[in-house]
């Protein structure tokens, strides 16, 4: 549940390549390409960009039953610019259709048969109504028997770490699988030791923490389990959507095998493939590619 965006990538050759992004939207695509059934809860504008996003979901087999069309607000957009120091983002999302998602758009029946509800810090940050809706959705999903997964995905352009922590700390007791990056965790908690970070999140009620460490892999921690998973070697081209790919791949593989360690290894392989291509959706690998990398 969250914010799809239409993407314009300013390529190094001076051309502009259109695409589709948004963190939880990318996660849904990654989950679908990794073999899971996925659907989105969001709003899109009644415009051509919204229609392109909806068409992508249909092509990827992502359910659009709960993707509402907004006649008043437009679909959000963002730009990626590439330079010698990597990529930078510029967003046009204020007042977007997705930012108008509200608790009134949700109903308990939406979560019948759902295994996971996935959302993120961005899902909470883009508006007060979205933040309220995130709490409503978590309550409804858990009441329906679903687990909740959450990526911290801190964006300082949307809110301060203190404001993000206020919302996140209220969410943590409802979260089964938390995906913080090392950078996010340092900003939110003021901690730099990976084990201390995992401990802090677990003490706040999270069932399982999957702390991503970039090219050092990830740590999966919960209960009596704490395992460091190494990263797969990769030729870094563009890290856009790598974290979202990790999340979606993990959820799909966990649903397949029920083992968080194996799911983390699978997710690390998926993320290693994602960083070797540019763009968001274009970089997300398919199941056969992930299996091939793991077998290499």
């Amino acid at each position: 549940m969250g914010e799809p965006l239409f993407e314009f990538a300013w390529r190094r050759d001076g051309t502009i390549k259109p695409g589709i992004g948004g963190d939880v939207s990318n996660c849904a695509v990654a989950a679908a390409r990794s073999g899971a059934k996925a659907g989105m809860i969001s709003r899109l504008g009644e415009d051509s960009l919204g229609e392109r996003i909806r068409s992508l979901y249909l092509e990827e087999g992502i359910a659009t039953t709960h993707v509402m069309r907004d006649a008043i607000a437009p679909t959000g957009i963002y730009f990626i610019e590439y330079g010698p120091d990597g990529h930078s983002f510029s967003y046009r999302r204020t007042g977007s259709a997705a930012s108008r998602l509200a608790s009134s758009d949700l109903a308990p029946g939406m979560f019948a048969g759902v295994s996971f509800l996935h959302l993120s810090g961005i899902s909470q940050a883009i508006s007060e109504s979205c933040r309220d809706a995130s709490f409503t959705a978590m309550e409804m999903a858990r009441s329906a028997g679903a687990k909740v997964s959450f990526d911290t995905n801190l964006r300082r352009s949307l809110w301060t770490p203190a404001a993000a922590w206020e919302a996140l700390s209220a969410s943590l007791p409802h979260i089964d699988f938390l995906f913080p990056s090392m950078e996010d965790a340092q900003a939110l908690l003021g901690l730099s030791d990976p084990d201390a970070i995992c401990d802090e999140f677990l003490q706040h009620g999270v069932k399982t923490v999957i702390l991503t460490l970039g090219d050092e892999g990830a740590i999966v921690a919960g209960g009596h389990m704490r395992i460091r998973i190494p990263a797969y070697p990769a030729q870094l081209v563009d890290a856009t959507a790598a974290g979202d790919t990790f999340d979606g791949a993990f959820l799909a593989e966990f649903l397949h095998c029920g083992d968080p360690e194996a799911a983390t290894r699978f997710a690390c392989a998926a993320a290693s493939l994602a960083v070797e291509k540019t763009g968001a959706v274009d970089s997300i690998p398919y199941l056969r590619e992930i299996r091939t990398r793991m077998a290499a």
Side-chain angles (χ1 to χ4, degrees):
M1 187 183 87
E3 178 193 40
L5 294 163
F6 199 82
E7 172 188 279
F8 294 94
W10 294 72
R11 303 167 77 176
R12 292 184 176 88
D13 63 5
T15 60
I16 299 174
K17 182 180 179 182
I20 292 165
D23 64 337
V24 296
S25 179
N26 295 335
C27 177
V29 174
R33 291 184 180 180
S34 296
K37 293 181 179 179
M40 278 291 295
I41 301 172
S42 190
R43 282 179 170 268
L44 294 171
E46 285 190 353
D47 48 36
S48 61
L49 301 184
E51 189 55 38
R52 286 175 179 264
I53 293 173
R54 183 177 177 277
S55 295
L56 169 73
Y57 292 160
L58 296 175
E59 291 169 7
E60 298 288 341
I62 296 170
T64 60
T65 306
H66 303 303
V67 178
M68 292 150 276
R69 305 304 292 271
D70 193 316
I72 298 174
T75 301
I77 63 175
Y78 72 101
F79 301 88
I80 307 178
E81 294 187 65
Y82 297 95
D85 297 324
H87 61 267
S88 61
F89 295 91
S90 177
Y91 294 90
R92 302 294 183 272
R93 56 158 50 111
T94 302
S96 69
S99 73
R100 287 159 51 86
L101 188 70
S103 294
S104 58
D105 294 319
L106 307 175
M110 296 169 69
F111 301 98
V114 170
S115 298
F116 275 102
L117 166 68
H118 180 76
L119 18 66
S120 77
I122 294 175
S123 304
Q124 294 186 329
I126 55 176
S127 71
E128 186 175 343
S129 69
C130 282
R131 188 154 56 253
D132 291 342
S134 75
F135 287 103
T136 301
M138 286 188 280
E139 291 173 2
M140 288 181 177
R142 291 179 68 86
S143 295
K147 289 180 169 54
V148 174
S149 63
F150 192 103
D151 191 312
T152 53
N153 226 344
L154 175 64
R155 294 293 181 268
R156 293 172 187 257
S157 60
L158 291 172
W159 55 0
T160 65
W165 173 248
E166 182 179 357
L168 177 61
S169 60
S171 306
L172 293 176
H174 307 286
I175 295 172
D176 295 281
F177 290 89
L178 180 71
F179 299 95
S181 67
M182 190 66 186
E183 182 182 3
D184 283 3
Q186 289 174 322
L188 292 165
L189 302 176
L191 300 172
S192 58
D193 178 70
D195 286 315
I197 288 168
C198 291
D199 290 340
E200 185 70 16
F201 284 126
L202 292 170
Q203 288 168 11
H204 276 81
V206 175
K207 307 299 184 296
T208 304
V209 178
I210 304 94
L211 176 65
T212 55
L213 307 171
D215 59 7
E216 295 183 13
I219 295 174
V220 55
H224 300 293
M225 171 187 61
R226 185 155 308 188
I227 303 168
R228 184 182 285 260
I229 309 296
Y232 284 78
Q235 297 296 319
L236 177 62
V237 174
D238 179 13
T240 303
D244 310 328
T245 297
F246 184 100
D247 297 352
F250 176 96
L251 295 173
E253 185 65 6
F254 182 82
L255 288 171
H256 172 71
C257 70
D259 181 351
E261 178 185 355
T264 302
R265 293 186 188 280
F266 181 88
C268 284
S272 75
L273 288 161
V275 303
E276 294 184 335
K277 296 180 181 179
T278 59
V281 168
D282 286 349
S283 69
I284 299 172
Y286 290 87
L287 178 60
R288 62 182 180 278
E289 298 174 284
I290 302 170
R291 296 292 187 209
T292 298
R293 173 141 298 183
M294 295 184 76

